[in-house]
């Protein structure tokens, strides 16, 4: 693939000049960036909809307690919304630049050369989309982990426990049963 790109760059430089070759390289970079931004936006939107916080947006929780946890969660959700907005702005800026460059190249290149360049620059999209989808699957699987209640109580004695005792032990060490007289 590298040799094909180098020979295409050499071909474009000889036929259209060094400026066009630079524009084609810029087009390739902008299309790659557009694909990254689109997949990132889709990933962030999925995270928002599934109420999952990406690892890079999680806050270090130094303070414990229910109120602090709610505050941290709201702050992480706000950071996620801000990241989505920022990505949307970057995508808009990228689209404007890409459009102007597309018009310049379409006016300069022949139809056959444009088709060749268009095919080469669009081929990166599939790989990046698959990478982001796999990333979301890893995060989603980590969140869906649930404890199996039948494995939370381990009986180390030879006696069989009645279902009521197992039910109480499954509640954990902080469970307290009140005796009402």
């Amino acid at each position: 693939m590298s040799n094909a790109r180098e020979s295409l760059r050499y071909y474009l430089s000889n036929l259209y000049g060094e400026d066009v070759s630079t524009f084609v390289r810029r087009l390739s970079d902008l299309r790659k960036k557009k694909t990254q931004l689109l997949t990132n936006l889709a990933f962030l939107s999925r995270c928002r909809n599934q109420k999952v916080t990406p690892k890079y947006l999680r806050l270090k929780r130094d303070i414990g307690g229910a109120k602090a946890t709610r505050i941290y969660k709201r702050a992480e959700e706000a950071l996620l919304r801000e990241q989505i907005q920022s990505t949307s702005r970057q995508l808009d800026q990228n689209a404007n630049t890409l459009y102007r460059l597309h018009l310049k190249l379409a006016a300069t290149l022949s139809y056959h050369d444009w088709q060749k360049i268009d095919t080469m620059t669009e081929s990166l999209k599939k790989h990046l989309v698959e990478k982001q989808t796999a990333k979301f699957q890893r995060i989603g699987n980590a969140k869906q982990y649930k404890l199996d209640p039948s494995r939370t109580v381990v009986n180390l004695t030879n006696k069989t426990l009645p279902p009521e005792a197992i039910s109480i032990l499954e509640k954990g060490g902080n469970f307290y049963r009140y005796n009402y007289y």
Side-chain angles (χ1 to χ4, degrees):
M1 183 87 176
S2 179
N3 289 339
R5 282 188 192 199
E6 290 299 320
S7 63
L8 180 65
R9 189 175 298 147
Y10 180 75
Y11 168 75
L12 292 173
S13 294
N14 287 337
L15 190 59
Y16 298 104
E18 195 64 38
D19 289 342
V20 172
S21 178
T22 305
F23 288 155
V24 169
R25 178 69 178 176
R26 179 86 173 121
L27 179 79
S28 177
D29 292 344
L30 283 171
R31 283 192 170 174
K32 182 178 179 182
K33 182 70 173 175
K34 176 185 173 186
T35 303
Q36 288 172 338
L37 288 169
L38 283 172
T39 55
N40 194 23
L41 186 62
F43 170 74
L44 292 170
S45 297
R46 279 192 216 122
C47 287
R48 182 195 59 207
N49 295 341
Q50 303 263 333
K51 302 221 183 286
V52 175
T53 304
K55 202 174 222 179
Y56 72 95
L57 288 177
R58 290 186 191 143
L59 299 173
K60 183 179 176 189
R61 300 185 180 205
D62 294 330
I63 302 170
K67 281 186 177 182
T69 301
R70 282 193 302 271
I71 291 169
Y72 282 124
K73 190 67 178 161
R74 280 196 312 260
E76 288 172 349
E77 289 170 357
L79 285 171
L80 182 58
R81 284 191 305 270
E82 175 57 34
Q83 191 68 34
I84 289 171
Q85 290 172 357
S86 174
T87 304
S88 296
R89 285 189 298 270
Q90 289 175 8
L91 189 58
D92 184 51
Q93 183 181 20
N94 180 287
N96 289 334
T97 308
L98 195 57
Y99 179 70
R100 287 192 304 272
L101 189 59
H102 174 85
L103 290 177
K104 264 187 209 176
L105 286 173
T108 308
L109 297 175
S110 70
Y111 178 77
H112 177 67
D113 291 339
W114 172 250
Q115 289 299 321
K116 203 183 288 187
I117 291 166
D118 191 39
T119 304
M120 288 182 76
T121 56
E122 284 291 325
S123 66
L124 296 170
K125 184 182 281 187
K126 185 178 179 184
H127 171 69
L128 292 170
V129 169
E130 289 173 355
K131 186 177 170 183
Q132 285 289 359
T133 305
K135 180 180 176 181
F136 182 75
Q137 292 297 327
R138 283 193 309 270
I139 288 177
N141 290 341
K143 185 174 171 84
Q144 294 173 357
Y145 178 77
K146 294 181 181 173
L147 289 176
D148 182 17
S150 65
R151 300 196 51 148
T152 56
V153 177
V154 178
N155 186 2
L156 298 176
T157 65
N158 292 335
K159 300 176 185 176
T160 56
L161 297 173
E164 300 84 23
I166 292 174
S167 173
I168 290 172
L169 291 171
E170 282 178 351
K171 297 186 186 306
N174 292 332
F175 178 75
Y176 182 75
R177 185 171 168 241
Y178 289 99
N179 287 330
Y180 295 103
Y181 298 88

